[in-house]
Structures are given as C-alpha cells and as structure tokens.
Amino acid sequence: MKNNQLRIFFTIGLISILLIGCAGGIQNDPSLPVVNDVEEIQPSQTETKEDDSPVEEVSLATEMDAAPAKFSIKADPGLQEVIAGLYGSYFEGEVPLYVDENPDLIATGASATREGRPQVQPTFLPDAVLISETDNIDVNNFISFAISPDGQQVLIDMGALPETISLIDQAGNQVEIQQPIRRVISAYGPASAIVYSVNGWDRLVSAAYLGARDSHGAAAMERIDPRFPDLVGDAYFSQQEFNLEQAATLEPDLIIGSFRSAWIDTVKELGVPLFMVEAETPQQLRDAVLMTGQLFGPNSQAQAQAWVDYYDWVIENIQGQLTGILPDEKPSVLFTGTEASRVVSGDMYQTNMINAAGGISASAELSGYWNNINIEQVAVWNPELIIVPPYGGASVEAITESPEWQIIDAVMQGQVFLMPKLVVPWDTPAPDSVLGIVWMAELIHPDRVELSCAVETEFFYNTFYSYGISKGEITAICTHE
C-alpha cells in the first residue's frame, strides 16, 4: 500500500516537471511570433508605405503639370540660355526640350564658308543661326519670331543684343539708332530696294519705289509685297520732296534718304533719326547694303553680307571666264538715258557695270552724271552696242527708227537693246543690278560667259526678295531683244 502511494506521488511530480519545461520552451522559441513583436513591427510596415506613397504622387503631378514641348532643339551650349528666353517668351513660359540627336530645330554658329551662291539661314544673333529640320509649323513660326523685331526685343532685354547702335552714314553723319527698328520711311528708291533685299521690308510704313510707276512694275511689286498699294509713297517722299505732315502721321522711328536730297535740313524738325545712303559706285553699293543690314538687326546683317558675297562671286566668275581676252575683243557699249541724246558718264554706276560685264563704256570720258550729247559725238564713238534704260519713256525704237542714228554701227547691225527689269531697273545702283551685269555679260560675250541670266534671276529673287518668280517672268526678263 505504502509502495503504491510512493509510485503515484513520483509519477505526478515527474509529469509536473515535464509540463513546466515545455511551457518554458514555448515561451523562449524566437521563431514564433508574440503579440508584442507584432505590435512593434506593424508601425514599421505602415511607415514604409507612407514614405513610398508621396514619392509616387509627386512624380505623377509633375508629369501632369508640365506641358509637352512643341518640338525638340539641339542647341550649342552657349546658345541654350537665349533659346530658352525666346522659347519661353513665344510659348508663354514653356521650357524647350533639348536633345542631342534627331532634333526638329538646330541652333548653332553660322558657317564661315562663302563660296558660290550663298545659302542664307535665319540669323537671330550675330553669327548664330536657326536651322529647321522639319515641316513643323511651330518650328517655322518660332524661327519667324526669333528674327522679328519682337524677338530682337526679347534678346535686347536679355542683354544679348544692344539697345542702340551708332553708325556713320554715307554722308558722314554719326547716327544713334534705337533698336529694334519697327517703322521706316524710305524716301529714296535705291534705298527701298536695299531694304527689301536685306529682309527689312516688313518694317516699311511708306517708301519711294524704283520702276513701280508703270503698270507692269506696279503689278510685279504687289506680287512681291501685297502691301505695296498702301506703302507706295512717291507722291510724298522723294529726293526732291518730303511731306512732313504725312511723315508725322506715320510715326516713323527711322527715315532713309539720299545724301543728295533737297529736304535734309527740313526733316530734322521731326526729331527722327535720318540715315543717308549713296551708291553710285560698286563699293558704295556694297557699303550701303551692309549698313542697311545693320539697321535692322542680325538677320538683315546676314542677308546683307550674303548679297555682297553673291555680288562679288558673280563679278569674279565673269572676270575669270574672260581671262585672256584682248582689249579689242571688248566691244564699245553706249548706255543712253531717258532721251537718246542723254548718256551716262564715266562716274556713273552703269559704266562700272559695263566694265564688269566685259565691255568698254563709249562715254567713259565724260564726268558728272547724265550728259547731253549730239549725234555727231555718237558717230565719233560709233558704239558696237547700245543699251537703253527701261524707264523715263526711253525705248529702243526711239533710236532704231530715228533717221539720224542710222549711221551708227550698233543701229545698222541691230545691236540696240532694252535693259531688263522686274520692278527695279537692272541698271540702277541697287541690289538687282547684279542681274544686269549677268545679262550684259551674256549679251556681250555669249561664247565665253557661262553664267545664265535665267538661273541667276531665279536665285536672286527667291533669295533676296523671298519671291518665287515664275518661269514666264524669267523668260520675258532675260531676253536679248
């Protein structure tokens, strides 16, 4: 009995010890989670989610708020700031998208190459150009803005262009001119032609025009510039007349005229800068074009330089093709004026044109401007060719049908020709005269001169007037009849 009780007591004690050991093992097993551990871990998981969530929201907001770029731009590093200023101004605070490859627009330094016919790129800063790589209308509109007076003003405000420029005009006067020029009166026909050729035509508020008084010239000028009927100001502004009242209503910020104008002192009453030009020699014409380009800003400067390069290229081409020609192979050429008995002098631009084309001016010995002569003098010169201007009522028939002119070789041989013109007569000291040189060179030396009047006419009006001249117009102009 006693032994059974001991065995029972021992068994109960052993079971108690085992139960206590198991309970302790369960509590100390780190692989099993406890309530306290879960409570500590849970805030950590929540905190991680809170950190990730705002990052995603900011990224989405940025993508939604930023307007997509209108086009991509590859810009030289030194040009990116000014491009951003122009872009933000035109597209109301937007920022440009710069890329390294496959851009829609390139902003880069201008090429220094000046060989052959020039290729003019839109120029927004001196020696910095914009090159479109697409037909995107936003690109083209942006380029137009960048080279416009409004674009110039943005660049002036950024300090990239000057607020004023100071030039010495061809009368020797120093002229201070506020930039950008927006409203111009040109009271001198050759100056108006220069303004068009340097792409400053959109700043004109009134102008005197060469060759636009006849119906054909006026129609052609209106095709070139549809504003022509409203701009033509020959009744108010010329070398002889300047209507102060009319000028005041136009509120010009620049007046361009000839230094031989009769009204120079009078016009000073307006308090408007007056810039005088003179282009009776090839060098004066070059200088007049270059200075006019400076008046209108970087794009016009580039256009002006392109014209000078083209002018020099044409003359060098012709002279090169006439290398080795003997003096007696150069024909005598008489250039007459509004009347058959009125001829150019050796001081006039037309004489330089004849020389450049490979001829010899019959009246080179004369001085001054237009000279009146008699038929006896013409007989002494006995020119081989006679060229008549396309203005002032002059005509080939006035010479060829005159009995007294029948003794002249040029008349007997049918070598009397009318100088061409689209609007501006090709013999006047204006940019178009480069075509007159080509036309004369073809006429005088058809077997030697390789330049084509047709080719150069198409290039010239497309490049310097932005006018797509038709094949019919070219054929009518370049004839030698």
Side-chain angles (χ1 to χ4, degrees):
M1 179 71 181
K2 190 174 181 177
N3 290 336
N4 289 337
Q5 290 177 338
L6 289 171
R7 282 197 291 269
I8 292 169
F9 179 78
F10 178 78
T11 300
I12 292 171
L14 180 62
I15 292 170
S16 298
I17 291 170
L18 291 171
L19 289 172
I20 291 170
C22 290
I26 292 170
Q27 289 173 351
N28 294 330
D29 189 348
S31 67
L32 298 176
V34 294
V35 172
N36 287 341
D37 289 338
V38 172
E39 289 174 353
E40 291 175 0
I41 293 170
Q42 191 64 36
S44 174
Q45 292 172 339
T46 303
E47 200 173 285
T48 302
K49 290 180 181 178
E50 289 174 356
D51 289 343
D52 292 344
S53 180
V55 172
E56 293 176 1
E57 290 175 0
V58 169
S59 176
L60 289 172
T62 302
E63 291 177 3
M64 292 174 65
D65 292 344
K70 299 289 191 300
F71 48 83
S72 61
I73 305 173
K74 181 178 181 180
D76 292 352
L79 298 175
Q80 290 185 4
E81 183 178 353
V82 292
I83 289 295
L86 287 167
Y87 190 96
S89 178
Y90 186 65
F91 293 115
E92 298 182 359
E94 296 182 22
V95 295
L97 171 65
Y98 293 116
V99 298
D100 293 326
E101 296 180 351
N102 302 317
D104 297 313
L105 177 67
I106 297 173
T108 188
S111 171
T113 302
R114 291 178 178 172
E115 296 180 1
R117 298 179 188 88
Q119 299 299 316
V120 187
Q121 299 287 358
T123 304
F124 65 104
L125 288 176
D127 299 322
V129 301
L130 296 170
I131 304 171
S132 176
E133 297 288 289
T134 178
D135 292 331
N136 185 320
I137 190 170
D138 286 324
V139 171
N140 295 328
N141 288 341
F142 175 74
I143 290 174
S144 296
F145 168 75
I147 62 176
S148 72
D150 290 338
Q152 283 180 256
Q153 188 62 61
V154 171
L155 294 171
I156 290 168
D157 294 341
M158 295 179 69
L161 289 176
E163 293 183 5
T164 61
I165 60 172
S166 179
L167 296 175
I168 297 176
D169 68 14
Q170 289 182 292
N173 304 310
Q174 186 163 342
V175 187
E176 299 286 333
I177 303 161
Q178 190 78 22
Q179 295 288 291
I181 292 295
R182 294 180 182 272
R183 301 180 64 81
V184 177
I185 293 175
S186 174
Y188 183 41
S192 301
I194 293 172
V195 170
Y196 273 90
S197 70
V198 300
N199 201 30
W201 57 271
D202 57 337
R203 325 285 182 94
L204 289 171
V205 293
S206 187
Y209 287 87
L210 284 172
R213 294 185 181 182
D214 63 87
S215 59
H216 293 293
M221 193 64 237
E222 189 170 357
R223 291 195 298 272
I224 292 171
D225 184 356
R227 303 181 308 148
F228 166 72
D230 298 321
L231 293 179
V232 60
D234 296 84
Y236 301 105
F237 310 114
S238 67
Q239 282 187 259
Q240 290 74 38
E241 301 290 336
F242 193 96
N243 189 307
L244 290 178
E245 293 182 2
Q246 178 67 12
T249 65
L250 295 171
E251 300 180 339
D253 45 30
L254 178 67
I255 297 168
I256 304 176
S258 165
F259 84 82
R260 288 180 282 139
S261 297
W263 42 259
I264 294 174
D265 292 333
T266 305
V267 82
K268 292 177 181 178
E269 297 177 20
L270 290 173
V272 176
L274 174 61
F275 195 84
M276 314 302 286
V277 299
E278 176 66 11
E280 200 56 55
T281 70
Q283 190 54 52
Q284 286 177 334
L285 179 56
R286 290 185 186 93
D287 292 342
V289 171
L290 291 173
M291 285 193 285
T292 304
Q294 287 181 272
L295 295 174
F296 294 101
N299 190 60
S300 290
Q301 282 182 263
Q303 191 85 353
Q305 185 62 60
W307 181 85
V308 170
D309 292 342
Y310 178 62
Y311 185 73
D312 291 342
W313 176 79
V314 165
I315 292 175
E316 289 169 6
N317 237 290
I318 293 170
Q319 294 300 312
Q321 291 162 18
L322 298 179
T323 298
I325 192 170
L326 299 174
D328 60 2
E329 294 181 272
K330 294 183 177 182
S332 171
V333 181
L334 180 65
F335 202 105
T336 61
T338 52
E339 297 177 5
S341 60
R342 195 167 173 80
V343 300
V344 301
S345 74
D347 298 328
M348 294 179 66
Y349 184 71
Q350 288 85 347
T351 294
N352 290 287
M353 292 180 63
I354 293 169
N355 294 337
I360 298 174
S361 175
S363 56
E365 64 193 54
L366 303 179
S367 60
Y369 291 92
W370 295 101
N371 280 237
N372 293 316
I373 50 92
N374 53 40
I375 192 63
E376 287 76 20
Q377 180 59 65
V378 177
V380 171
W381 292 328
N382 198 23
E384 298 169 69
L385 283 88
I386 298 174
I387 298 176
V388 178
Y391 48 79
S395 68
V396 169
E397 292 74 22
I399 293 175
T400 59
E401 296 179 5
S402 171
E404 64 178 2
W405 281 78
Q406 301 307 311
I407 61 172
I408 308 302
D409 281 351
V411 177
M412 291 190 288
Q413 299 299 323
Q415 297 296 294
V416 183
F417 303 94
L418 182 71
M419 173 63 74
K421 79 180 186 76
L422 179 60
V423 180
V424 178
W426 286 5
D427 70 298
T428 51
D432 308 56
S433 66
V434 67
L435 299 178
I437 295 172
V438 174
W439 177 84
M440 278 200 292
E442 265 194 324
L443 174 66
I444 296 171
H445 300 287
D447 297 329
R448 287 179 174 268
V449 173
E450 297 174 2
L451 288 181
S452 162
C453 178
V455 171
E456 303 311 324
T457 297
E458 182 175 21
F459 171 80
F460 176 85
Y461 286 107
N462 273 280
T463 304
F464 298 106
Y465 278 82
S466 299
Y467 175 60
I469 188 169
S470 70
K471 299 295 183 184
E473 287 174 304
I474 293 172
T475 300
I477 292 172
C478 287
T479 183
H480 291 129
E481 295 181 356

